[in-house]
Amino acid sequence: MNGMVVKQSDKEVEWRQRLARFASSGQQIKSFCQAESVSTATFYRWRRLLAEVGDATPAVDFIDVGVMPLASETQSMMPCAATSAALEIRLDLGQGLVLSILRR
């Protein structure tokens, strides 16, 4: 499958999101399934299917890292010009691929 883009089905996306909600819910499977109006058998089947094709939890769509002031705002707030806000984010994407974002 190298180089191929695999489109996830709507059901797969829905179940990945549901499994992510379950993982963060702290609920037992039975009560979670009742709240989601799905059977426990269906829950177990989708969890097994998605585990076979990869991680059963979806990637996070958005990570809030807060708001950083602009460099000009930082300098006006702090009399020392040598002090500046910086942001560095490194994401290990697996298979030796690392995404680095640096803001100075």
Side-chain angles (χ1 to χ4, degrees), residues 72-84:
S72 59
E73 293 173 355
T74 304
Q75 290 174 357
S76 66
M77 293 187 314
M78 298 180 183
C80 178
T83 306
S84 64

Side-chain angles (χ1 to χ4, degrees), residues 2 7 9-10 21 32 35 39 42-43 46-47 52 55 61-62 64 75-78 80 82 90 95 97 101 104:
N2 287 343
K7 185 179 184 310
S9 72
D10 291 341
R21 284 194 306 274
F32 178 81
S39 73
T42 303
F43 177 91
W46 273 101
R47 186 170 72 169
E52 289 173 1
D55 187 10
D61 292 333
F62 177 78
D64 185 358
Q75 290 174 357
S76 66
M77 293 187 314
M78 298 180 183
C80 178
R90 294 178 58 86
Q95 298 181 357
L97 185 61
I101 301 171
R104 293 186 178 168

Side-chain angles (χ1 to χ4, degrees), residues 58-72:
V60 176
D61 292 333
F62 177 78
I63 299 173
D64 185 358
V65 295
V67 178
M68 289 183 56
L70 297 173
S72 59

Side-chain angles (χ1 to χ4, degrees), residues 16 47 49-57:
R16 284 185 183 278
R47 186 170 72 169
L49 287 171
L50 294 176
E52 289 173 1
V53 296
D55 187 10
T57 57

